[in-house]
Amino acid sequence: MNAAKRAEIFRRLKEDNPEPSTELEYQSVFELLVAVILSAQATDVGVNKATAKLFPVANTPEAIHALGVEGLEQYIKTIGLYRSKAKNVIEACRLLIEKHNSVVPNTREELEALPGVGRKTANVVLNTAFRQPAMAVDTHIFRVSNRTGIAPGKTVLEVEKKLVKFVPREYLLDAHHWLILHGRYVCKARKPQCGSCRIEDLCEYKHKTSDD
């Protein structure tokens, strides 16, 4: 795919959704961090239901740490892998309190040193909370990048690096949100809705579908 096509794809995505954002619900950087940790192999809808009960009760490192693992589990047990996630969140809270004065750090190295925070989670926080040009590649973005030809790659890291390289600078900060929403609602895994896709004429997918 050439640069002109990529630029037009993101121009249209921006035109349709000028200020995209995550569908996770949060009111602070710390709440976002917790929500993203919980969202691994879970839906944003499921995470939002759990955090809607958790955050009014505890939404600081100190408050969640005070719940303890078993206490936190009661709020998030509807989410997959909740036991391991509870342990990670409690330990992350301890480290935030002890090493960062309860403030979520804004560097990849410090974020990835927290339990439950891998490269993708760190990228989400860096991009969404701190507005850094980081690219979190989940299953939706991996699929859209390969299917459309925007940034094909065999691994998540390869796709991430290509997106950072190829997405026009003016669109890079919000590209993550546009791609994830496009994959979630239009370019779906089982059957992409090519007939109603805003960028169908620019997409290089060879097996286009109709919406019938």
Side-chain angles (χ1 to χ4, degrees):
M1 180 176 286
N2 62 43
K5 260 192 185 180
R6 287 194 190 92
E8 177 61 14
I9 283 173
F10 285 102
R11 188 197 69 77
R12 292 184 194 178
L13 293 176
K14 180 176 183 177
E15 184 176 71
D16 290 352
N17 187 2
E19 296 182 358
S21 62
T22 177
E23 293 188 315
L24 290 171
E25 295 170 358
Y26 68 97
Q27 299 296 323
S28 68
V29 178
F30 174 70
E31 286 188 4
L32 175 65
L33 174 65
V34 172
V36 179
I37 292 174
L38 296 179
S39 72
Q41 295 179 285
T43 65
D44 287 359
V45 172
V47 172
N48 288 339
K49 285 181 180 178
T51 57
K53 297 176 182 176
L54 170 64
F55 289 156
V57 175
N59 68 344
T60 65
E62 290 83 359
I64 289 184
H65 189 265
L67 291 174
V69 174
E70 291 184 2
L72 179 56
E73 284 179 355
Q74 298 309 305
Y75 290 96
I76 66 170
K77 59 186 177 183
T78 54
I79 300 174
L81 307 174
Y82 74 93
R83 285 196 172 90
S84 61
K85 289 176 181 178
K87 290 176 183 175
N88 284 336
V89 170
I90 292 298
E91 182 62 10
C93 287
R94 183 185 70 79
L95 291 174
L96 286 173
I97 294 166
E98 293 180 1
K99 293 189 174 183
H100 301 285
N101 296 315
S102 298
V103 176
V104 177
N106 64 356
T107 69
R108 176 187 305 286
E109 293 74 23
E110 290 174 308
L111 283 168
E112 289 188 18
L114 298 172
V117 180
R119 186 178 182 88
K120 185 176 76 172
T121 297
N123 280 342
V124 172
V125 175
L126 291 171
N127 178 254
T128 304
F130 298 115
R131 301 304 285 157
Q132 295 181 22
M135 184 66 63
V137 178
D138 70 347
T139 55
H140 296 298
I141 294 177
F142 185 80
R143 178 175 68 254
V144 171
S145 298
N146 275 286
R147 190 182 270 168
T148 60
I150 291 173
K154 293 181 179 178
T155 67
V156 167
L157 186 58
E158 185 182 356
V159 169
E160 177 191 326
K161 288 181 176 179
K162 282 190 175 180
L163 284 170
V164 171
K165 180 180 179 181
F166 292 143
V167 173
R169 294 290 113 182
E170 65 265 37
Y171 301 117
L172 191 55
L173 273 180
D174 290 316
H176 161 257
H177 295 306
W178 285 317
L179 292 173
I180 196 171
L181 292 170
H182 191 69
R184 188 172 286 166
Y185 297 111
V186 181
C187 197
K188 299 177 181 179
R190 290 187 179 179
K191 185 185 179 185
Q193 295 176 324
C194 300
S196 56
C197 176
R198 186 77 161 80
I199 59 171
E200 181 190 11
D201 58 313
L202 302 167
C203 170
E204 297 180 354
Y205 185 49
K206 292 190 172 96
H207 308 289
K208 301 262 175 78
T209 67
S210 66
D211 287 352
D212 299 335

